[in-house]
Amino acid sequence: MNAPTERPEIDFLAVARALMPAGATTDACVGCGLCASGCPAAGLFGMDPRRFVNMAALGMNEALSTTPWVWACTQCKRCAYVCPMGIDVSLLVGVARGAWPDDEKPKGIVRSCAAQRLDASTSAMGVRSEDFVEIVEETAEELRESDPRFADLRVPMDRKGAMFVVNQNSREPAVEPEEMGPMWKIFDYVGADWTYSSKGWAAENFCMFTGDDAAWKEMVETRVDAINALEPQVWINTECGHSFYTLWKGIERFGLEAKFEAGSLVSYYAQWIREGKLPVNADWNTLGVKFTVQDPCQLVRKSLGDQAAEDLRFVVKTLVGEENFIDMTPSRQANYCCGGGGGFLQAGMNDERRAYGKRKFDQIAATEAAYVLTPCHNCHSQIEDIGGHYHGAYHVTHLWTLICLSLGILGPDERKYLGPELAGINLPEEA
Amino acid sequence: MRRPHRRIETQLTVVGTGIAGFAAALFARARGLDVAQVGHSGALAYTTGYLDLLGVADGRKIADPWAGLDALRMTEPGHPFGRLANADIRAALDAFIGEVNAMGLGYTPAGAANLTALLPYGVTKPTLSLPETMWPGAAALAERAPALIVDFAGLQGFSAAEFAANMAAVWPGLATARLAFPGMESLQVFPEPMARALETRETRAAFVARLRPHLGAVTHVGLPAILGVHRPDTVRAALEAELGVTLFEIPTIPPGVPGIRLRELFERHLPGRGVALEPNLKAAEARLDPSGITLALHGPMEDLDIRAEAVVLATGRFLSGGLRAERSGIRETLFGLPVAQPDGREAWFRPAYFDPRGHPVNRLGLTVDDRFRPLDAAGAPVHPRLHAAGAVLAGQDWARSRSGAGLAIASAWAAVNAAGAELGSSPGDPGPTTAPGAAPAQEPGTA
Ligand SMILES: Cc1cc2nc3c(=O)[nH]c(=O)nc-3n(C[C@H](O)[C@H](O)[C@H](O)COP(=O)(O)OP(=O)(O)OC[C@H]3O[C@@H](n4cnc5c(N)ncnc54)[C@H](O)[C@@H]3O)c2cc1C
Ligand code: SF4
Ligand code: SF4
């Protein structure tokens, strides 16, 4: 994968001067190494962020254009957080990725992006628009039949003028459709005025990770057009982080016209709990099961900052009980990326990805919590994987699972991510 | 897409998240003020963790910093310490150390005399307060205790052999050993991930197994600073219980753990104490008007205006971005405050790099009045409620005098007290220091 073939010659120093704010370009580096010390990708493929910055300053452009490390950097921007100059290595990494010929880029990322471009659904898992409509309707029908409380549940599709347009990660319709149920139940419970869009609904975006700006732009345009057409006030991104970042950032970067606001589902959970619409509590946690939470980089450090981290903690503490919540350290904007981001999960570099994830694993292990709550899908998959690899004794769940558990509306087949101690708790009466 | 615009109003806003900024935010909350704080990474990340007050005067190490301060006021009347009484400096240090201890990071109390603390290359320096994880090293040196110094394969900038060789005259007979850190047997390792890993039982057990065969008859073991980031005192206690020796940490060169520890400690605890903290965002612009000060910040997804009745500016020097050297001279970066300076760059430096008097450029900064308000060219306060603290102040060279943290903490104390008095809060008016619903998260066991 690292054979140097013909690539556009990139002048990384010029790129740095063009993309980075004044005072935060590679010229400002004092060589302190804080970035390398704080980066979970440091040492993989013999590279780390300080070296990358140094080599850019020295004009070692070919080496930077060919190192496979650019696929191990998850573009999490933790380097910019720890660097006194705010030097953001992920910007250079994005440009370096783009210089790789498509046939030498990690196949998983390229394939995922290509799949997204095949259908208006923008799904990386090949779920077409009409499939999505059908899967949603079938799953909703099963839910209506199995749970009398939700006999009238509606899952609106392409409803113009709804307040919220909500997206959906492809993983659920593709492999675990029953996992869509909890989110629908929450919307039903709070009486949200929402809809899916049959076009551009997929909440993943690997095109940004390929470093191909044109593909990223195309993806964002398809989605923005689809959302604009439904005229919502707010586009709510599901619990996942990277599709949130790629959309708002893409809108800003490519100067697209979006006639809606961007919101995170996690912040809406917090709002609905504060407003009393979602009367969750921790009464179910009589065993005192301990929980920690992963702050998705894409949502917290890269997008909404500590406000999102605060909302996330508020939701989690309300759900599991203040005394049962154990924060990871570092956390919030200082949090480590889990190693699932940036396309790493799809890049086929399992050894490196797990080495990256060791820091996350240590952080989780240090909390000694039995559950890790991960809003984001990439985090979910990666944290499960490293848990298995390093023999961690924790479960990984989404927030919607616990919200429905607390409300007593989590069906028996919506519990696959719960451990045995919680599997039988608060089952809906009629079920 | 509309870019959200948020506005918050506060009584006091602290600009800067170094020692001076964090100290100011804590002192202001203790006075019951409504506080916001903004900042980013900076010089704090490089500290050894020692809290220096005054370690060097006239080029010589001193034992009594308090007497040293009395002398300094005579010889350097323009020094910021000249505007502070020893009693206030002591009160400031006691309050700061008390807060840090309450947050769960142990520091020794500031005493009457300097302690002799260890540095990575086997040299020592005078300082006033040490992290609990480092204090036993100073004590062991004083007793010439039989000790083992440990370093790690792949860890640059810390060599046990070099430490022992340079220490031989004052601390003879130090044993040394090099370990491979469990799970990090790779080419280059950094202290930070080692410290994080030692927060888990599994790594502690593996580490104990590797260290135990080297103990011999020593009573003390010195390690680079890696005993956890978040709970170093518990990590140390857990390891000592297993090993049956006293452990102590020696600070490493950057990138080291002590500065990360402090930054993360404050960032973790200040929101719970009611400080509206933006830890990853610098103020981009500032506007002064007679009734207050408005700061503009530009986050990734939103613009934020902070309206403050009073401001403490604690933005540090060149490394942290509070001052910038431009062709025309040295500038204060946020407000464009006057920086008194000699004409021309030639006058910034003395010809000899190691000139014992230091270089004039290191003493440039903001000139302030007794209430720590920056002054304009005519000698009047630029704004009635704009204050400054820490390394950005003129007339001091903290690096040479070994007074970094002490100056930052004491000047923050003075600046906050002056601002608090103007805003009508009294020192005995602590108000709620814990925001509702912000009890600390539970700690897992370490036994
Ligand atoms: C290598 C090194 C070793 C040190 N070792 C010691 C030691 O052993 N003992 C000791 O006592 N001291 C030590 N210090 C000194 C100490 O860390 C501080 O530098 C000193 O206390 C000054 O603190 P400060 O808060 O005034 O400034 P700084 O620590 O420089 O903090 C300034 C802060 O302001 C922020 N800032 C700048 N511009 C803006 C803006 N526009 N908006 C918002 N925020 C802004 C920066 O991001 C930074 O967080 C050391 C420093 C260095 C560099
Ligand atoms: S943290 Fe910043 S200044 Fe330090 S080595 Fe990395 S890029 Fe350079
Ligand atoms: S973006 Fe994240 S993974 Fe990439 S260099 Fe920076 S800290 Fe490392």
Side-chain angles (χ1 to χ4, degrees):
Chain A
M1 191 167 41
N2 46 7
T5 48
E6 278 174 42
R7 298 173 187 211
E9 165 84 17
I10 298 175
D11 178 350
F12 280 91
L13 199 53
V15 168
R17 287 180 183 150
L19 286 185
M20 295 169 154
T25 67
T26 48
D27 307 283
C29 174
V30 297
C32 67
L34 276 170
C35 52
S37 152
C39 166
L44 302 176
F45 300 106
M47 185 61 76
D48 65 51
R50 172 171 54 182
R51 264 178 82 93
F52 205 90
V53 167
N54 269 338
M55 288 167 71
L58 294 172
M60 298 168 73
N61 295 325
E62 189 180 329
L64 295 182
S65 307
T66 50
T67 172
W69 182 77
V70 297
W71 305 101
C73 158
T74 59
Q75 301 188 281
C76 72
K77 291 192 195 285
R78 192 173 196 279
C79 42
Y81 164 84
V82 292
C83 173
M85 313 299 158
I87 296 172
D88 179 356
V89 179
S90 77
L91 296 174
L92 301 181
V93 165
V95 173
R97 285 183 174 201
W100 281 53
D102 271 348
D103 58 353
E104 290 178 27
K105 290 177 183 174
K107 294 195 174 40
I109 307 180
V110 174
R111 254 191 257 120
S112 295
C113 172
Q116 291 190 254
R117 303 173 80 170
L118 284 180
D119 187 87
S121 67
T122 66
S123 162
M125 296 177 83
V127 184
R128 293 170 305 164
S129 283
E130 57 269 33
D131 303 336
F132 181 61
V133 174
E134 205 179 300
I135 295 167
V136 164
E137 201 28 61
E138 271 172 20
T139 311
E141 186 53 37
E142 278 165 30
L143 209 158
R144 284 190 285 264
E145 281 168 10
S146 67
D147 189 343
R149 220 209 112 123
F150 292 97
D152 297 325
L153 179 109
R154 290 276 153 265
V155 182
M157 186 69 71
D158 293 330
R159 197 160 64 78
K160 203 167 167 174
M163 169 120 91
F164 306 121
V165 168
V166 181
N167 63 5
Q168 179 73 55
N169 190 283
S170 287
R171 174 168 159 154
E172 282 93 24
V175 299
E176 46 184 24
E178 68 284 0
E179 277 292 303
M180 294 190 286
M183 187 175 81
W184 299 345
K185 291 178 180 177
I186 293 167
F187 288 147
D188 187 74
Y189 203 100
V190 301
D193 173 17
W194 75 288
T195 181
Y196 279 133
S197 164
S198 62
K199 292 187 184 140
W201 52 267
E204 63 266 357
N205 191 344
F206 295 95
C207 293
M208 182 181 81
F209 298 142
T210 62
D212 178 348
D213 270 11
W216 175 16
K217 181 176 177 202
E218 179 189 309
M219 215 34 46
V220 176
E221 271 175 334
T222 306
R223 290 177 184 175
V224 168
D225 288 348
I227 302 166
N228 278 345
L230 295 176
E231 299 174 7
Q233 286 174 31
V234 185
W235 158 69
I236 298 188
N237 189 76
T238 176
E239 293 187 10
C240 200
H242 89 260
S243 65
F244 185 65
Y245 178 81
T246 58
L247 195 86
W248 78 255
K249 190 69 187 179
I251 290 169
E252 183 186 280
R253 178 159 170 152
F254 305 120
L256 305 180
E257 200 195 353
K259 300 177 191 146
F260 50 84
E261 286 170 36
S264 159
L265 185 53
V266 176
S267 304
Y268 279 95
Y269 289 157
Q271 184 183 322
W272 291 329
I273 294 172
R274 290 189 181 106
E275 291 170 354
K277 290 184 184 163
L278 210 52
V280 292
N281 57 50
D283 292 351
W284 57 273
N285 194 5
T286 50
L287 295 171
V289 178
K290 300 289 185 266
F291 288 78
T292 188
V293 70
Q294 162 73 353
D295 291 292
C297 313
Q298 306 274 10
L299 193 63
V300 177
R301 185 165 51 244
K302 292 176 72 171
S303 296
L304 294 165
D306 278 6
Q307 286 191 91
E310 207 45 66
D311 282 344
L312 189 52
R313 278 160 186 70
F314 170 72
V315 173
V316 172
K317 287 180 187 177
T318 313
L319 280 171
V320 306
E322 182 108 34
E323 67 286 7
N324 297 315
F325 172 66
I326 304 168
D327 220 339
M328 286 187 221
T329 57
S331 62
R332 301 169 190 259
Q333 291 193 68
N335 195 32
Y336 286 125
C337 173
C338 62
F344 213 178
L345 267 171
Q346 291 73 21
M349 300 168 157
N350 291 347
D351 292 347
E352 287 80 12
R353 175 174 53 75
R354 287 171 178 153
Y356 187 121
K358 180 65 166 50
R359 283 208 206 191
K360 180 55 58 186
F361 178 79
D362 282 347
Q363 268 192 296
I364 296 170
T367 69
E368 300 183 357
Y371 282 79
V372 186
L373 289 167
T374 58
C376 183
H377 278 76
N378 278 329
C379 306
H380 187 106
S381 303
Q382 166 75 350
I383 290 174
E384 273 208 324
D385 180 81
I386 54 175
H389 183 74
Y390 295 112
H391 311 294
Y394 56 78
H395 299 278
V396 188
T397 54
H398 288 291
L399 295 176
W400 57 57
T401 308
L402 280 199
I403 291 174
C404 290
L405 179 79
S406 167
L407 294 172
I409 57 174
L410 189 69
D413 55 353
E414 293 163 350
R415 296 177 177 238
K416 67 187 269 198
Y417 294 111
L418 295 180
E421 74 280 49
L422 298 184
I425 284 184
N426 260 12
L427 276 164
E429 274 159 31
E430 293 86 348
Chain B
M1 194 160 55
R2 196 176 55 84
R3 189 174 160 85
H5 195 123
R6 188 159 56 102
R7 186 184 156 91
I8 58 176
E9 313 229 339
T10 64
Q11 286 181 294
L12 180 76
T13 295
V14 178
V15 186
T17 45
I19 301 257
F22 283 124
L26 286 166
F27 296 155
R29 281 302 296 140
R31 287 188 70 117
L33 292 172
D34 171 28
V35 183
Q37 185 180 12
V38 301
H40 194 257
S41 180
L44 170 61
Y46 302 135
T47 183
T48 59
Y50 299 142
L51 303 180
D52 302 344
L53 176 57
L54 187 63
V56 171
D58 296 328
R60 280 196 305 275
K61 290 181 183 177
I62 59 169
D64 181 348
W66 305 101
L69 287 169
D70 292 338
L72 182 78
R73 289 188 191 94
M74 313 293 286
T75 53
E76 294 183 32
H79 197 288
F81 277 140
R83 301 185 187 280
L84 293 156
N86 282 1
D88 288 326
I89 297 172
R90 170 166 286 293
L93 287 170
D94 288 348
F96 182 81
I97 293 168
E99 295 276 14
V100 172
N101 284 339
M103 291 178 205
L105 186 64
Y107 264 85
T108 64
N114 278 329
L115 300 162
T116 301
L118 304 171
L119 289 176
Y121 294 113
V123 290
T124 62
K125 83 171 212 174
T127 191
L128 195 60
S129 169
L130 288 74
E132 293 279 1
T133 52
M134 299 184 183
W135 183 80
L141 166 64
E143 295 164 20
R144 314 289 187 261
L148 168 73
I149 308 296
V150 173
D151 67 15
F152 294 91
L155 174 63
Q156 292 172 0
F158 186 83
S159 155
E162 184 186 21
F163 183 91
N166 288 339
M167 273 291 177
V170 288
W171 194 354
L174 286 174
T176 65
R178 173 161 298 180
L179 301 184
F181 191 84
M184 296 184 198
E185 296 86 355
S186 61
L187 289 179
Q188 190 179 13
V189 294
F190 292 102
E192 178 183 352
M194 299 202 269
R196 308 259 190 224
L198 281 177
E199 286 174 357
T200 68
R201 289 174 204 264
E202 196 190 5
T203 307
R204 282 199 296 272
F207 178 72
V208 164
R210 291 197 185 176
L211 180 52
R212 192 175 275 134
H214 298 274
L215 293 181
V218 301
T219 55
H220 289 70
V221 175
L223 300 158
I226 57 163
L227 297 178
V229 176
H230 156 54
R231 304 175 286 151
D233 300 310
T234 358
V235 169
R236 174 172 155 246
L239 290 172
E240 285 185 341
E242 288 293 316
L243 291 163
V245 293
T246 300
L247 294 182
F248 61 88
E249 289 187 321
I250 303 162
T252 54
I253 60 165
V257 166
I260 297 172
R261 234 175 231 167
L262 284 166
R263 183 181 185 194
E264 288 184 7
L265 181 84
F266 293 126
E267 288 187 4
R268 197 163 64 245
H269 287 274
L270 264 59
R273 288 171 178 242
V275 176
L277 176 66
E278 287 290 343
N280 196 19
L281 212 48
K282 283 189 172 180
E285 300 116 42
R287 225 177 35 248
L288 298 164
D289 63 68
S291 65
I293 298 160
T294 308
L295 303 170
L297 293 86
H298 308 298
M301 277 191 84
E302 65 165 7
D303 295 316
L304 173 63
D305 276 353
I306 301 181
R307 173 71 184 168
E309 291 173 52
V311 162
V312 173
L313 184 72
T315 46
R317 303 183 70 77
F318 304 97
L319 181 68
S320 294
L323 300 178
R324 185 159 58 227
E326 294 180 349
R327 205 158 292 143
S328 56
I330 288 172
R331 258 178 27 87
E332 185 283 315
T333 52
L334 184 58
F335 292 89
L337 299 171
V339 177
Q341 50 198 290
D343 288 336
R345 272 175 180 258
E346 321 75 64
W348 294 359
F349 297 94
R350 295 187 201 276
Y353 185 76
F354 290 109
D355 190 306
R357 292 165 298 174
H359 299 283
V361 66
N362 294 330
R363 292 177 171 268
L364 302 183
L366 303 178
T367 310
V368 291
D369 67 5
D370 280 347
R371 290 151 79 181
F372 285 79
R373 295 179 300 188
L375 302 175
D376 63 20
V382 171
H383 187 279
R385 287 182 307 282
L386 173 62
H387 303 262
V392 73
L393 298 174
Q396 51 82 27
D397 185 346
W398 65 264
R400 292 182 50 74
S401 58
R402 305 285 191 274
S403 52
L407 179 75
I409 294 164
S411 56
W413 176 261
V416 166
N417 286 343
E422 288 143 17
L423 296 172
S425 90
S426 71
D429 173 24
T433 51
T434 302
Q442 196 197 294
E443 305 283 338
T446 43

